[in-house]
Amino acid sequence: MSRKKIITIVGARPQIIKASAISRAIGLFFKEEIEEIIVHTGQHYDQNMSQIFFEELGIPKPSYNINVGSGRHGQQTAKMIDGIEEILIKEKPDSVILYGDTNSTIAGALAASKIHIPIVHIEAGLRSFNKKMPEEINRIACDHMSSLLFSPTKQGIKNLQKEGFKLKQEGKATMDAPNMYHCGDIMLDNSMYFGERENRGNQLLTSLKLEANKYILCTIHRDSNTDIELNLIGILEALLSCQEETQMKIVLPLHPRTRGKIEQLRDQNFVNLFINNPNIIILPPAGFNDIITLEKNTKLIITDSGGLQKEAYFFEKPCVILREQTEWVEIVDNGNAILTGADNAKIKNAISLLLAKNDFTYPTLFGDGKAGKFICSKILSDL
Ligand code: UD1
C-alpha cells in the first residue's frame, strides 16, 4: 500500500504547536501509512513567534515557507492562497490538514477546496458568535469547505449540527458529505506530553525572581484589545491596580504587536509608569516550554488567547478572559473562568472573585490527550 501524502499548513504560533501533536502521532504510530509535508505560510516570522517552536517541539522543518509576512487581511490571505495553491498543484497531496481559525487556515481552505483536495479541519465547530472577529469568519468558512471535521468539544459538535453537519455519515468523507468527530483537544496532547517533560521550572522562575503561586501570568494580543487605545489602556490600568492590591508580580510575555501598540500610546507618562514598574515583568513572546512552566506555577492567568484559556484549565488555574465571548464556553460555565472584555471594572472584579474562590472543579472536558492518534486513524479510514 502506498503511503498517503498529507500536507499540513501552519502559519501562526499556535498552529505550529498544534501540528506537533499530529507529527508526533505520525512518527510513533503511522510512519508506514502517512507521509507528512509541512508548509509554513510565514504569517508569523519572528524567531520567538515561529522558529523557536519548531526547535523546541521537535517538528520536522517545513519543506516550504511562503514568507508572506504581515499585512492587511485581504493582502496577507491572498498571498497565502497563491503560494499554497502552487505547492498543492505540485505536490498533489491526498489531503490537507488545517488548524484553527487564522488567516493561514482560511487561505489553505480556499486553495485546497477549489482544486478538490480534501480538507481535514482540526478544531472544527468552535464558535464565538461574533463575526467581527476575523477568526470567526475563518473558522466557519473553513468548516464548510472541509471533508473531515474534528471538534475538541461536545459544544463544537452541537454548533456543527445546527449548521447542517451530521454525525456518522455513511461511506467515505467528501466535501459534500463530510464526516465529523468529537475527538478531544489536540492541545491537551501537547500539554500532557510537554508538561511531563518540562523540567526547567525552577531555573526559569529563579531567573525571573518569581515564586510559585505568587505571581499572575498575563498575555494580550487580540486586535480588539491592542488596536483600540481605550481598551488597551483599560486592561493595562487594571493590571496596575491588581498588582498594587495583591502585591503579586505580573508576568507579561508580549506579542510584538502589543508591544508596539503600548509604545505608541499617546499618554507617554502612563507608558513609562507601566513599562518601568518593577513588579510588571515584560518578556519577549515565550517559547512553549517557558509558557508551560509559567502556566503551571502561576496563581491566575489573565489572557485573550484561546490557547491559554484552555491551558489554564489543563493546569487547574483560574482564568480571566479579556474577551466578550469565548469559544471555550465550558470553562466559563463550570466557574473556572470569567469573561470581562477590556472593561476595567469587570477585570478587577473578576480577579478578586477568582483569587478568593477555593472550590474549583476540573471535570474532563477536553478528552484524554490522545486526539492526535485518533485523528490520524480517521484520516486513513475515512478519506
Ligand atoms: C494571529 C491569529 C490569531 C491567533 C494569533 C496567535 C489571524 C487573523 N489571527 O493573530 O487568531 O490567536 O495569531 O498568535 O490569523 N507580528 C510581528 N511578528 C510576527 C508576527 C506578527 O511583529 O512574527 C506583528 C505585526 O505587526 C502584525 C501583527 O503582529 O501585523 C499581527 O499579526 P497577525 O499574524 O496578523 O495576527 P496575530 O495578532 O498574530
Side-chain angles (χ1 to χ4, degrees):
M1 193 182 76
S2 69
R3 289 198 299 169
K4 281 206 166 157
K5 191 196 267 191
I6 292 176
I7 288 200
T8 294
I9 296 176
V10 296
R13 168 174 64 172
Q15 294 170 323
I16 303 168
I17 301 171
K18 286 164 200 166
S20 78
I22 293 290
S23 297
R24 213 167 46 243
I26 294 174
L28 282 173
F29 308 110
F30 301 98
K31 257 201 279 217
E32 309 302 322
E33 290 116 313
I34 298 178
E35 173 196 358
E36 184 190 32
I37 295 175
I38 297 180
V39 173
H40 193 331
T41 63
Q43 177 172 352
H44 286 171
Y45 44 86
D46 285 353
Q47 160 77 13
N48 277 4
M49 297 291 285
S50 173
Q51 184 60 27
I52 188 171
F53 298 102
F54 284 96
E55 289 159 10
E56 277 187 354
L57 306 181
I59 313 171
K61 251 177 81 112
S63 307
Y64 297 90
N65 192 324
I66 306 173
N67 287 315
V68 292
S70 302
R72 285 178 279 105
H73 282 281
Q75 186 186 43
Q76 186 187 51
T77 312
K79 280 191 199 161
M80 290 183 198
I81 296 174
D82 189 25
I84 294 169
E85 183 181 53
E86 211 175 293
I87 296 165
L88 296 182
I89 289 171
K90 179 174 161 226
E91 291 287 350
K92 299 185 183 56
D94 296 296
S95 59
V96 164
I97 299 185
L98 301 172
Y99 293 92
D101 53 21
T102 71
N103 289 344
S104 299
T105 315
I106 187 69
L110 283 165
S113 61
K114 297 285 179 76
I115 51 175
H116 310 155
I117 297 173
I119 293 167
V120 177
H121 189 202
I122 298 179
E123 285 204 333
L126 302 175
R127 300 288 181 264
S128 66
F129 301 100
N130 173 4
K131 288 204 183 109
K132 287 206 175 118
M133 289 175 68
E135 291 84 359
E136 184 76 350
I137 311 256
N138 292 345
R139 58 172 85 98
I140 295 174
C142 180
D143 278 342
H144 287 263
M145 288 180 251
S146 297
S147 297
L148 255 186
L149 295 88
F150 292 99
S151 173
T153 59
K154 287 185 191 149
Q155 184 60 44
I157 294 289
K158 281 190 206 155
N159 293 340
L160 289 170
Q161 281 172 321
K162 281 193 201 131
E163 291 172 23
F165 290 90
K166 295 191 190 84
L167 274 169
K168 301 204 184 86
Q169 195 76 35
E170 299 281 309
K172 294 281 181 191
T174 65
M175 203 167 16
D176 288 317
N179 264 0
M180 65 173 176
Y181 293 96
H182 171 221
C183 65
D185 198 314
I186 191 119
M187 281 306 286
L188 181 59
D189 295 26
N190 283 330
S191 291
M192 283 169 67
Y193 182 74
F194 290 101
E196 273 163 28
R197 285 161 36 119
E198 172 277 317
N199 56 8
R200 289 197 349 98
N202 289 339
Q203 211 184 323
L204 179 69
L205 295 193
T206 312
S207 72
L208 295 173
K209 299 198 177 65
L210 293 172
E211 274 181 71
N213 281 312
K214 289 195 178 149
Y215 67 90
I216 292 173
L217 174 64
C218 175
T219 73
I220 312 161
H221 78 270
R222 292 276 158 189
D223 55 2
S224 58
N225 287 334
T226 56
D227 298 5
I228 302 172
E229 191 166 295
L230 259 183
N231 287 353
L232 185 56
I233 291 181
I235 294 170
L236 300 183
E237 270 180 349
L239 293 182
L240 279 177
S241 73
C242 154
Q243 196 291 310
E244 223 173 86
E245 220 157 273
T246 62
Q247 285 301 306
M248 279 196 268
K249 291 194 174 162
I250 298 187
V251 182
L252 194 59
L254 269 193
H255 187 295
R257 95 189 281 161
T258 318
R259 178 179 284 275
K261 294 290 175 183
I262 292 178
E263 285 165 1
Q264 285 159 24
L265 285 174
R266 273 170 294 182
D267 186 348
Q268 282 294 309
N269 285 337
F270 177 75
V271 173
N272 288 331
L273 192 76
F274 188 84
I275 291 185
N276 297 323
N277 186 317
N279 292 314
I280 308 262
I281 303 176
I282 298 180
L283 303 174
F288 195 58
N289 286 331
D290 284 355
I291 201 78
I292 283 196
T293 300
L294 291 170
E295 289 167 357
K296 276 169 75 173
N297 291 290
T298 188
K299 180 80 182 161
L300 170 81
I301 294 181
I302 304 175
T303 189
D304 58 8
S305 146
L308 258 79
Q309 292 171 41
K310 267 179 309 166
E311 284 156 22
Y313 189 85
F314 299 159
F315 294 120
E316 306 199 345
K317 306 290 177 181
C319 184
V320 175
I321 305 176
L322 302 170
R323 286 178 42 193
E324 304 287 345
Q325 311 86 8
T326 177
E327 305 82 55
W328 311 106
V329 282
E330 297 80 358
I331 61 174
V332 175
D333 292 346
N334 196 53
N336 306 88
I338 297 179
L339 287 163
T340 62
D343 184 310
N344 188 281
K346 282 191 192 164
I347 299 170
K348 291 190 217 164
N349 193 32
I351 294 172
S352 307
L353 279 171
L354 290 172
L355 286 178
K357 184 171 163 158
N358 53 18
D359 58 348
F360 293 104
T361 59
Y362 292 90
T364 306
L365 298 174
F366 297 102
D368 58 5
K370 294 185 182 131
K373 187 175 180 191
F374 178 84
I375 290 169
C376 291
S377 70
K378 293 300 173 195
I379 292 175
L380 288 170
S381 63
D382 287 21
L383 287 178

